[in-house]
Amino acid sequence: MIGAATDATKGPEGRTAAEHGGSAVLGIDVGGSSVKHLLARADASIAEPPVPLARGRNATPKRAPVDGLAAIAEAVRGERTLTRLVLSIPGIVDERNGVVVRSTNIPALDGCALGERLGAELGIPVDVINDGHAAAIAEASWGAGKGVEDIFVLALGTGIAGAHVVDGRVVPGAHGSAGELGHITIDPAGSMCSCGRLGCLETIIGAPALHAAWTAAGGSGGTESLFAAFGAGDRAATTIVQHASSALAEAILTLCALVDPGGIVIGGGLAQAPHHLVTLAERYVAERATFHRVPPIIPASLGEWAGVNGTVLTALRRQRALG
Ligand SMILES: [Zn+2]
């Protein structure tokens, strides 16, 4: 641990391979049920995803998350000198101060100064970022959005997460809450959203909403069953998927009007193959666009490892910034 601070301030330049060969940065993506980690050389290039020194997954420590995460970091680093750790957390994160404001999936972390506490535990700088932001910068820099300067990354799943990424960095807004495309109003007379408003995009195309609509229409199984039935021409499934795709199309048109991105990357569980929801939405967007400049809509490419890649990218960048 003593060598860590020295390495972090010296930077990789001008040292021999032997001197910095033992230094590493660690990224940890804390999800509701599993924690993914990725260890990379501290001098790895940021132009492309680093070759992992270690990569894996553990169960999310729910009871004593700070101790559990410190134990994971200690185990993963092995004999290497860890110079920086970046964690991504689902929920509202005060990224500047490393504080978890609210995490629905891991309530034990609510209000926790996680960066400071883990930093004290491990003796290294620890940053905490939002999981959607982590996945977005990874897709923008190393994944489907690579080469596009101004891109919006959208994740469709239980919730709808979004982030506007310019030159590989999330545009956070004045209060860090920009990009919440899931909470734009599609139907003012619609269902109650988790945010307390009516008819948000999430109440129509979120996985729980699609599941509920499918169940109400007599369908059985989850969203996979819904999309399979849609593919087979089932009338009830067609109505639900068309309604959801129409809502997604409206959201994309709103996004184009407000942000005018150079590309839209769409990922998350609901965007997996078959891409019925997104394919149909693209058609509606093309039919409804007027003045809008509709950019390419690109499937995300990093899958469930996008978030942890984003934590490592952040660790490498911050280390260089201080080097
Ligand atoms: Zn909402």
Side-chain angles (χ1 to χ4, degrees), residues 11 24 42 67 79 81 101 106 109 128 155 158 170-171 173 177 197 203 208 251 257 265-266 272 321:
D67 295 344
E79 296 301 312
T81 302
V101 178
I106 315 155
L109 287 178
V128 187
T158 301
V170 171
V171 180
S177 58
R197 285 175 52 80
T203 68
V265 170
I266 302 186
Q272 303 296 311

Side-chain angles (χ1 to χ4, degrees), residues 121-292:
E121 187 81 24
L122 299 168
I124 53 169
V126 176
D127 302 291
V128 187
I129 61 177
N130 168 268
D131 64 339
H133 289 180
I137 60 166
E139 286 290 353
S141 302
W142 291 341
K146 189 175 180 181
V148 184
E149 278 178 21
D150 186 310
I151 198 150
F152 197 92
V153 182
L154 190 55
L156 309 181
T158 301
I160 311 298
H164 184 203
V165 186
V166 178
D167 291 332
R169 295 176 194 277
V170 171
V171 180
H175 309 94
S177 58
E180 291 286 355
L181 203 68
H183 298 286
I184 63 167
T185 305
I186 299 292
D187 178 6
S191 308
M192 177 62 74
C193 181
S194 60
C195 75
R197 285 175 52 80
L198 297 176
C200 293
L201 178 66
E202 203 165 291
T203 68
I204 300 169
I205 72 165
L210 289 173
H211 189 194
W214 181 226
T215 303
S220 59
T223 50
E224 279 177 27
S225 146
L226 166 67
F227 290 122
F230 171 81
D234 179 89
R235 186 179 292 183
T238 300
T239 302
I240 294 167
V241 175
Q242 283 177 341
H243 181 56
S245 295
S246 175
L248 178 57
E250 290 304 316
I252 289 172
L253 287 168
T254 301
L255 181 62
C256 292
L258 278 179
V259 175
D260 185 22
I264 300 174
V265 170
I266 302 186
L270 288 180
Q272 303 296 311
H275 304 276
H276 294 309
L277 192 69
V278 178
T279 306
L280 195 52
E282 278 188 80
R283 206 178 85 200
Y284 291 148
V285 167
E287 287 169 2
R288 297 174 192 174
T290 57
F291 69 91
H292 311 77

Side-chain angles (χ1 to χ4, degrees), residues 78-126:
E79 296 301 312
R80 293 192 176 260
T81 302
L82 208 55
T83 57
R84 195 165 201 102
L85 167 62
V86 175
L87 298 118
S88 67
I89 303 287
I92 302 169
V93 177
D94 174 355
E95 297 188 359
R96 192 168 296 172
N97 297 304
V99 175
V100 180
V101 178
R102 189 158 65 92
S103 180
T104 316
N105 291 326
I106 315 155
L109 287 178
D110 284 4
C112 177
L114 188 58
E116 194 179 304
R117 287 183 56 185
L118 266 180
E121 187 81 24
L122 299 168
I124 53 169
V126 176

